[in-house]
């Protein structure tokens, strides 16, 4: 027996198990309905391994830390620190080293949290399960299940492995987390002929991690652990490499460009210094100064903290950010791929419409206390009585339901119409029933005799009658119907009426509505037999849907205004998916582009799928692999893709997308762990506010990069050109070092750091949600930002060089020190001039859309506080003895200080003038 099993190792569940009859499955698995022997099960466990998910892809903490400290900019800073140490500048080396440690810790903490998706999948495992071993029902740990084990299922169980069902009794399994199907799936044991049936249509299979909601069944294990459908999802998650965000790509390019520029500038300065006869010690110091000047040391910290501030603002709007760069990425999103169930819809079946008496009534305003629409009330009464679910209403009016989603929807509809379900059931007790089964496709219950006090719809039936209520699919009820409820009484049904009912059923189904027929029959006895379902009177049809979220349509319209395309990707039926998409505005009423199903995706190669995703807005009956292919196809076309979802089946695509957005309430742990952002209110509209926040943050980060690099251009100009200035003024390169490394570090951290951080709190520009998404391939210098950065940087450099040249050879007392003088004074002047120019540069950077006089100064108090603090700190470092000595400075005279401040004001005026001209040019172009 063992050898036979070895040579017939079962295929994965995604192949043909559903198309093989139950007896053949047992033969192929070398088992029987009485299960395996304990000895055989132990042997198979040793061969196949435990029924558990294996973690093959989690990045270890040490590797994450190593990647942080080996980033190119960080390596350059480490080199600068060692050079400072080599020439005895211990204070400078310590300061640079501290910054490196801070950056590395921040980056490590942010990435480490993103490595937990597989852990949530493990939590879906069932700890105990009932199986047949040695022909005896035994309870074992789910991890000990093997292929060929026979598992017993009943309501409330979580399916412990992938099963081929061999017996079912009214068995229904909730598979929304895996397939996206809103309703529990009615299971069968018969083989399904279609070998390529999509996952949601394989009704004779039970999938690991799904929930049994009704009935009972018997299933044989066909796959365990990583071979299950959920295991294959785990493989997909682990195989997907998280993509770098547009921000990360842009900053990586900027970092490498700056690092290369830093090395180049250092080499140029070394060559100039060597030609001028400088010592190697001074040359090394000059090289370190150049590296520190070019590299924006505050950039990683400011970016991280700016994103963190943005994530806190998003949290107040119910969006929890798990991966910081995702905040900015939202601003670049061009396509949102959204799951339907639980994301665009409420994941709550709701009775919305009644079709009867030749009319259609929507149930929003139905009231049992009035005589309006009595036939609709009779249908709701029948639905509440012919029902195995339970409803509880607290004293405060809160409603709790337990049972099958369709049946609980009927109870809630009756309750909302004013029917007291508990009182109705007490006064009209059930005398018998014929349970639902898949062959009859209906359920019947008998009640009676009816009391004299009959409320709601029961008032239409005579006192003392015994009534059988029947609910089920209309194609199963209509052949048994002899009468139909019309105009307040039962009338013989005509062929014309049958055609009308069939047409109403088809119209509702075409709109994605699940239709239930409600009928009754007055019987002479309370005995239960099949004849109670004959000669029925049809009350009417009830339409049940998983309704769209009320705010989703507005959110999708806003996405359209912002240039963002919304695509629905679901495991649900194509008709249902398209109806919801049309109602939400994802597809227009005149849009006849067909939906694409998972089966059609299977038949497409990558080129065909690439064409399909350009025009298709609804994908239905798709599997996790299909979702992954769709996201990849969109990204291959240059789209920045956000994937929203809440189920296990969404996790691989969430991980593959540029940004994954999971639902916080209905979402599974798997989807939350795989996502970058979790919506705490499960509200699609929250995505819109998140997109707005992402665009604001991108604007703010762009302002900071412009601000920081313009300042660095000015500093590099000073370092490069100062030796030339000295050569022209004094005839030698003596005093060729314009700024010391520690002074540059101070400028980069105080101005770039504090003022840059304050820019991260700037409010949204007026037109932020009326622009197209940021082109992911665009440079951070596009839209005039490169030119602005250059001219502002040159202005800072020229201003610093001019004032520095003017004060070379002069000390605090105005005494000429050109002969044997101290260079500390002109360095102090250059140092202070750059600091004040960058303070006023930060104020001028607040907006490119509005002039300063129209800005709300209360909108960013942080910037004003930061500017005030940097101003005071700059004064303190000049005039506090121990700080002045540490930074190799001299105090400035009052006039010199005012001149440095005046340079800052002059720069602010220049920035405002240039921006005014650009605004005028934009306005003319718009007109």
């Amino acid at each position: 027996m063992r050898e036979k099993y070895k040579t017939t190792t079962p295929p994965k569940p995604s192949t043909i198990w559903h198309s093989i009859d139950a007896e053949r499955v047992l033969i192929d698995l070398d088992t029987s309905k009485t299960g395996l022997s304990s000895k055989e099960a132990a042997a198979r466990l040793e061969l196949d391994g435990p029924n558990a998910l294996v973690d093959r892809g989690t990045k270890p903490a040490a590797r994450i830390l190593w990647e942080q400290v080996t980033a190119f900019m960080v390596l350059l800073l480490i080199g600068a620190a060692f050079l400072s140490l080599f020439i005895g500048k211990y204070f400078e080396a310590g300061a640079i080293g501290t910054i490196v440690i801070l950056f590395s810790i921040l980056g490590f903490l942010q990435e480490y949290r993103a490595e937990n998706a597989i852990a949530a999948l493990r939590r879906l495992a069932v700890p105990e399960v009932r199986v047949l071993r040695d022909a005896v029902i035994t309870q074992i740990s789910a991890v000990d299940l093997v292929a060929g084990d026979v598992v017993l299922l009943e309501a409330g169980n979580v399916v412990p492995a992938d099963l081929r069902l061999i017996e079912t009794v009214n068995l229904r399994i909730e598979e929304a987390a895996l397939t996206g199907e809103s309703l529990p799936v009615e299971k069968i044991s018969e083989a399904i002929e279609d070998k390529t049936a999509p996952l949601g249509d394989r009704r004779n299979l039970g999938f690991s991690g799904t929930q049994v909601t009704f009935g009972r069944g018997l299933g044989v294990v066909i796959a365990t652990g990583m071979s299950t459908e959920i295991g294959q999802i785990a493989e997909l998650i682990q195989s997907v490499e998280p993509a770098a965000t547009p921000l990360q790509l842009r900053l990586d390019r900027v970092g490498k460009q700056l690092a290369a520029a830093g090395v180049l500038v250092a080499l140029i300065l070394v060559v100039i210094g060597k030609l001028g006869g400088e010592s190697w010690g001074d040359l090394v110091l000059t090289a370190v100064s150049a590296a520190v000047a070019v590299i924006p040391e505050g950039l990683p910290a400011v970016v991280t903290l700016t994103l963190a501030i943005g994530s806190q603002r998003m949290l107040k709007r119910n969006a929890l950010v798990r991966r910081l760069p995702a905040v900015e990425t939202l601003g670049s999103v061009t396509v949102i791929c959204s799951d339907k169930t639980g994301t665009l819809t409420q994941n709550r079946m709701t009775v919305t419409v009644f079709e009867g008496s030749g009319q259609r009534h929507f149930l929003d305003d139905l009231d049992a206390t009035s005589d309006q629409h009595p036939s609709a009330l009779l249908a709701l009464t029948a639905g509440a009585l012919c029902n195995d679910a339970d409803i509880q209403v607290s004293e405060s009016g809160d409603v709790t339901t337990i049972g099958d989603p369709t049946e609980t929807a009927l109870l809630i509809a009756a309750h909302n119409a004013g029917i007291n379900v508990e009182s109705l059931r007490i006064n009209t007790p059930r005398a018998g029933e014929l349970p639902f089964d898949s062959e009859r496709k209906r359920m019947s219950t008998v009640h009676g005799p009816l009391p004299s006090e009959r409320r709601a719809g029961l008032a239409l039936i005579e006192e003392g009658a015994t009534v059988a209520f029947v609910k089920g699919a209309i194609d199963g009820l209509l052949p048994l119907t002899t009468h139909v409820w019309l105009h307040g009484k039962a009338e013989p049904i005509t062929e014309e009426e049958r055609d009308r009912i069939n047409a109403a059923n088809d119209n509702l189904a075409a709109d994605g509505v699940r239709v239930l027929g409600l009928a009754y029959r007055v019987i002479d006895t309370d005995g239960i037999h099949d004849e109670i379902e004959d000669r029925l009177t049809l009350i009417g049809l009830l339409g049940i849907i998983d309704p769209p979220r009320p705010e989703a349509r507005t959110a999708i319209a806003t996405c359209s205004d912002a240039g963002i395309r919304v695509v629905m990707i679901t495991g649900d039926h194509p008709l249902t998916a398209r109806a919801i998409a049309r109602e939400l505005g994802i597809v227009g009423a005149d849009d006849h582009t067909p939906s694409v199903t998972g089966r059609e995706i299977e038949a497409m190669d990558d080129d065909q799928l690439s064409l399909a995703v350009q025009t298709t807005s609804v994908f239905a009956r798709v599997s996790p692999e299909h979702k992954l292919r769709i996201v990849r196809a969109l990204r291959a076309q240059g789209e920045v893709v956000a994937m929203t979802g809440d189920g296990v089946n969404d996790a691989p695509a969430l991980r593959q997308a540029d940004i994954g957005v999971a639902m916080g309430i209905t979402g599974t742990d798997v989807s939350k762990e795989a996502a970058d952002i979790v919506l705490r209110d499960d509200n699609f509209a929250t995505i819109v506010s998140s997109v707005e926040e992402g665009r604001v943050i991108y604007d703010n980060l762009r302002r900071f990069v412009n601000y920081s690099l313009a300042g660095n251009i000015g500093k590099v100009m000073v370092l490069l050109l100062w030796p030339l200035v000295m050569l022209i003024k004094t005839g030698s390169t003596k005093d060729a070092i314009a700024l010391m490394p520690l002074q540059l570090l101070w400028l980069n951290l105080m101005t770039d750091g504090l003022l840059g951080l304050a820019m991260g709190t700037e409010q949204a520009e007026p037109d932020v949600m009326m622009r197209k998404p940021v082109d992911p391939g665009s440079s951070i210098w596009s839209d005039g930002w490169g030119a602005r950065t250059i001219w502002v940087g040159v202005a800072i450099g020229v201003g610093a060089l001019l004032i520095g040249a003017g004060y070379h050879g002069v000390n605090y007392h105005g005494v000429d020190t050109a002969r044997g003088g101290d260079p500390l004074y002109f360095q102090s002047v250059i140092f202070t001039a750059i600091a004040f120019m960058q303070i006023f540069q930060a104020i001028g950077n607040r907006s490119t859309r509005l002039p300063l006089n129209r800005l709300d100064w209360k909108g960013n108090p942080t910037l004003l506080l930061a500017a005030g603090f940097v101003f005071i700190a700059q004064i303190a470092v000049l005039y506090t003895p121990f700080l002045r000595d540490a930074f190799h400075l001299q105090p400035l005279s009052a006039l010199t200080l005012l001149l440095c401040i005046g340079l800052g004001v002059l720069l602010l005026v220049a920035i405002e003038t240039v921006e005014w001209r650009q605004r005028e040019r934009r306005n003319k172009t718009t007109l």
Side-chain angles (χ1 to χ4, degrees):
M1 178 180 284
R2 186 70 198 139
E3 290 302 318
K4 180 178 179 181
Y5 174 70
K6 282 184 179 179
T7 57
T8 57
T9 302
K12 289 186 176 181
S14 56
T15 52
I16 57 171
W17 287 117
H18 62 280
S19 63
I20 304 173
D21 64 66
E23 290 299 324
R24 179 66 190 176
V25 169
L26 293 172
I27 293 170
D28 284 353
L29 288 170
D30 199 8
T31 186
S32 68
K33 280 190 176 182
T34 58
L36 299 170
S37 67
S38 297
K39 182 178 179 181
E40 175 64 14
R44 294 189 183 191
L45 184 63
E46 183 180 351
L47 178 68
D48 297 338
N51 178 33
L53 300 178
V54 179
D55 181 5
R56 301 191 185 108
T58 303
K59 190 186 296 184
R63 180 182 167 191
I64 296 173
L65 185 59
W66 175 253
E67 289 177 355
Q68 296 299 320
V69 299
T70 54
F72 197 56
M73 275 204 300
V74 174
L75 285 176
L76 206 61
L77 284 176
I78 292 173
F82 274 109
L83 281 173
S84 299
L85 200 62
F86 177 73
I87 62 174
K89 299 292 182 179
Y90 302 114
F91 188 77
E92 286 86 344
I96 298 173
T98 301
I99 293 168
V100 169
I101 293 171
L102 176 64
F103 293 167
S104 300
I105 290 174
L106 285 174
F108 170 79
L109 291 176
Q110 129 185 7
E111 187 173 347
Y112 185 71
R113 296 178 59 208
E115 292 295 323
N116 297 318
I118 198 66
L121 279 166
R122 290 199 193 95
R123 289 196 289 273
L124 288 179
V126 183
E128 298 290 330
V129 61
R130 292 196 308 153
V131 300
L132 282 164
R133 289 268 177 95
D134 303 312
V136 176
I137 296 176
T138 307
Q139 188 161 297
I140 65 169
S141 173
V143 297
D144 294 329
L145 280 175
V146 295
D149 264 326
V150 176
V151 178
L152 286 77
L153 297 175
E154 60 185 19
N157 288 162
V158 175
V159 180
D162 282 2
L163 310 176
R164 170 62 165 88
L165 300 172
I166 55 178
E167 286 184 10
T168 60
V169 180
N170 301 325
L171 181 65
R172 297 177 209 165
I173 299 180
E174 170 67 67
E175 296 178 347
L178 184 66
T179 66
E181 177 65 56
S182 306
L183 293 167
V185 178
E186 182 187 331
K187 293 296 182 178
I188 60 175
S189 59
E190 293 79 14
I192 296 171
E193 290 185 7
D194 186 358
K195 292 184 179 182
T196 62
L199 211 61
D201 292 340
R202 297 176 192 175
R203 295 170 51 217
N204 56 11
L205 299 184
F207 300 108
S208 178
T210 57
Q211 182 92 30
V212 179
T213 62
F214 193 81
R216 56 187 174 83
L218 207 63
V220 59
V221 175
I222 55 175
T224 60
M226 298 300 284
S227 295
T228 62
E229 290 294 337
I230 229 175
Q232 292 178 58
I233 292 173
E235 289 273 14
L236 288 172
I237 292 175
Q238 295 177 39
S239 67
V240 171
E241 287 292 331
T245 69
L247 174 68
Q248 289 172 321
L249 293 173
R250 292 185 184 105
L251 292 182
D252 183 62
R253 284 196 299 267
V254 169
K256 288 178 179 177
Q257 291 165 358
L258 291 175
V263 172
L264 181 62
V265 169
L267 289 174
I268 292 172
L269 288 174
V270 167
V271 171
I272 293 172
K274 194 61 182 171
L275 291 174
E278 296 286 341
S279 67
W280 280 110
D282 288 342
L283 292 177
V284 170
L285 188 60
T286 302
V288 172
S289 299
V292 171
V294 173
I295 299 173
E297 289 85 3
L299 180 60
V302 169
V303 168
T304 300
L305 293 173
T306 301
L307 292 175
I309 290 170
S311 70
Q312 290 301 312
R313 289 205 299 237
M314 289 176 66
L315 187 61
K316 293 177 182 178
R317 302 171 86 167
N318 287 315
L320 174 65
V321 178
R322 296 190 64 256
R323 189 164 167 251
L324 284 181
V327 179
E328 177 273 339
T329 310
L330 273 170
S332 302
V333 163
T334 58
V335 177
I336 298 176
C337 294
S338 178
D339 187 43
K340 178 185 73 69
T341 306
T343 305
L344 294 169
T345 64
Q346 301 175 31
N347 200 19
R348 187 183 71 243
M349 301 308 296
T350 304
V351 182
T352 58
V353 64
F354 169 75
E355 179 88 27
S357 296
Q359 295 179 325
R360 180 175 293 188
H361 304 293
F362 293 95
L363 303 184
D364 296 342
D365 55 354
L366 197 63
D367 185 0
T369 61
S370 70
D371 293 332
Q372 195 178 25
H373 310 315
S375 55
L377 290 174
L378 177 58
L380 292 177
T381 301
L385 290 173
C386 186
N387 196 312
D388 287 331
D390 191 23
I391 185 170
Q392 297 174 356
V393 183
S394 68
E395 293 182 1
S396 61
D398 294 332
V399 177
T400 304
T401 57
I402 301 171
D404 178 84
T406 299
E407 295 200 322
T408 58
L410 293 171
L411 295 183
I412 291 173
H415 171 79
N416 290 341
I419 298 172
N420 187 324
V421 175
E422 184 179 5
S423 175
L424 175 69
R425 287 178 165 181
I426 291 172
N427 294 325
T428 318
R430 182 181 299 186
E433 65 180 289
L434 287 176
F436 177 90
D437 68 49
S438 56
E439 291 184 5
R440 291 166 39 249
K441 295 183 179 180
R442 57 185 176 271
M443 170 185 178
S444 301
T445 57
V446 175
H447 304 265
L450 298 185
S452 57
E453 185 179 350
R454 303 181 311 287
R455 298 180 179 178
L458 289 180
L460 300 175
I461 302 174
E462 61 268 23
E463 176 186 348
T466 298
V467 183
F469 288 111
V470 185
K471 76 170 190 286
I474 195 65
D475 57 350
L477 287 183
L478 209 51
L480 305 174
T481 299
T482 58
H483 291 71
V484 62
W485 192 270
L486 285 173
H487 313 301
K489 60 180 180 178
E491 298 279 3
I493 191 167
T494 63
E495 286 303 314
E496 182 182 356
E497 192 62 28
R498 287 182 188 274
D499 292 340
R500 186 193 65 78
I501 292 168
N502 278 321
N505 179 59
D506 292 342
N507 289 336
L508 288 170
D511 288 336
V513 179
R514 186 186 184 195
V515 183
L516 273 183
L518 280 302
Y520 80 95
R521 176 187 172 186
V522 177
I523 58 178
D524 299 327
T525 173
D526 59 357
I528 306 302
H529 48 81
D530 290 344
E531 289 184 7
I532 66 171
E533 294 180 344
D534 196 15
R535 300 191 301 280
L536 299 175
T537 297
L538 183 68
I539 305 168
L541 313 180
L542 287 175
I544 305 173
I545 63 169
D546 178 14
R549 293 182 176 274
E551 64 282 351
R553 185 179 182 87
T554 303
I556 289 168
T558 305
C559 286
S560 178
D561 291 339
I564 300 170
R565 177 182 165 213
V566 179
V567 176
M568 179 190 290
I569 305 178
T570 179
D572 216 337
H573 193 279
L575 282 178
T576 304
R578 190 162 187 85
I580 296 293
R582 188 182 301 112
E583 185 173 349
L584 289 172
I586 294 174
V587 296
D590 299 329
D591 185 351
H592 301 296
T593 305
S595 305
V596 174
T597 65
R599 184 174 297 174
E600 290 168 330
I601 293 174
E602 287 283 357
M604 294 180 183
D605 59 25
D606 289 344
D607 291 338
Q608 291 171 321
L609 182 59
S610 181
L611 290 174
V613 299
Q614 293 178 26
T615 56
T616 304
S617 296
V618 179
F619 294 88
R621 278 288 189 254
V622 295
S623 69
E625 291 87 350
H626 300 148
K627 292 186 178 187
L628 206 55
R629 284 190 66 196
I630 292 167
V631 171
R632 284 174 175 164
L634 286 166
R635 293 191 65 214
Q637 295 175 6
E639 305 284 3
V640 177
V641 181
M643 169 71 189
T644 72
D646 62 352
V648 174
N649 60 334
D650 298 321
L654 288 172
R655 193 78 176 263
Q656 176 70 61
D658 294 282
I659 179 165
V661 184
M663 303 297 114
I665 299 173
T666 59
T668 60
D669 285 347
V670 180
S671 64
K672 293 175 192 175
E673 293 292 341
D676 302 297
I677 291 175
V678 178
L679 305 183
R680 296 199 305 172
D681 58 356
D682 283 16
N683 191 336
F684 187 84
T686 303
I687 297 174
V688 178
S689 60
S690 298
V691 167
E692 179 183 353
E693 194 64 50
R695 293 187 175 191
V696 171
I697 286 171
Y698 178 72
D699 284 349
N700 290 344
L701 287 174
R702 207 177 198 186
R703 286 189 190 99
F704 167 72
V705 172
N706 163 261
Y707 168 77
S708 174
L709 297 188
N712 285 6
I713 288 172
K715 295 163 199 166
V716 169
M717 274 188 65
V718 170
L719 290 175
L720 277 175
L721 299 180
W722 184 252
L724 182 61
V725 171
M726 287 296 91
L727 190 63
I728 294 171
K729 184 172 183 179
T730 66
S732 75
T733 57
K734 187 177 182 296
D735 298 339
I737 300 176
L739 291 168
M740 303 294 285
L742 201 58
Q743 294 167 357
L744 288 163
L745 202 60
W746 168 274
L747 289 173
N748 282 3
L749 293 182
M750 291 300 292
T751 57
D752 295 4
L754 289 176
L755 292 172
L757 178 60
M759 290 179 190
T761 62
E762 194 63 60
Q763 301 301 307
E765 298 271 22
D767 63 343
V768 69
M769 287 304 288
M770 299 303 293
R771 311 177 204 157
K772 292 182 179 180
V774 177
D775 183 356
S778 67
S779 167
I780 204 165
W781 312 117
S782 60
D783 301 326
W785 282 92
R788 175 191 172 109
T789 300
I790 291 171
W791 83 255
V792 172
V794 169
I796 292 172
V798 169
L801 285 169
L802 289 175
I803 197 169
Y807 276 93
H808 179 262
V810 177
N811 67 12
Y812 178 77
H813 302 289
V815 177
D816 187 347
T817 61
R819 297 178 182 177
D822 188 345
L824 294 186
Y825 196 72
F826 76 79
Q827 286 181 348
S828 302
V829 172
I830 294 173
F831 173 69
T832 305
I834 291 174
F836 285 123
M837 280 191 282
Q838 288 212 262
I839 289 173
F840 286 96
Q841 179 201 358
I843 294 171
N845 247 29
R846 283 198 61 192
S847 175
T848 59
R849 306 282 173 170
L850 294 174
L852 279 176
N853 62 342
R854 289 182 57 192
L855 285 177
D856 179 11
W857 287 94
K858 295 179 182 178
N860 192 0
T862 307
L863 181 62
L864 297 179
L865 290 173
F869 178 84
V870 172
F871 188 98
I872 294 169
Q874 188 66 28
I875 299 296
V877 81
L878 283 170
Y879 298 107
T880 305
F882 77 91
L883 286 174
R884 188 171 65 233
D885 293 342
F887 283 88
H888 311 294
L889 298 169
Q890 282 187 354
L892 303 186
S893 67
L895 178 61
T896 306
L897 185 64
L898 287 174
L899 283 174
C900 292
I901 295 172
L903 276 177
V905 174
L906 190 61
L907 180 64
L908 175 60
V909 171
I911 291 172
E912 277 296 290
T913 302
V914 172
E915 289 301 329
W916 173 75
R917 289 179 177 175
Q918 289 183 347
R919 282 193 292 269
E920 289 292 311
R921 194 177 299 116
R922 277 197 300 266
N923 290 339
K924 287 180 181 178
T925 303
T926 304
L927 293 174

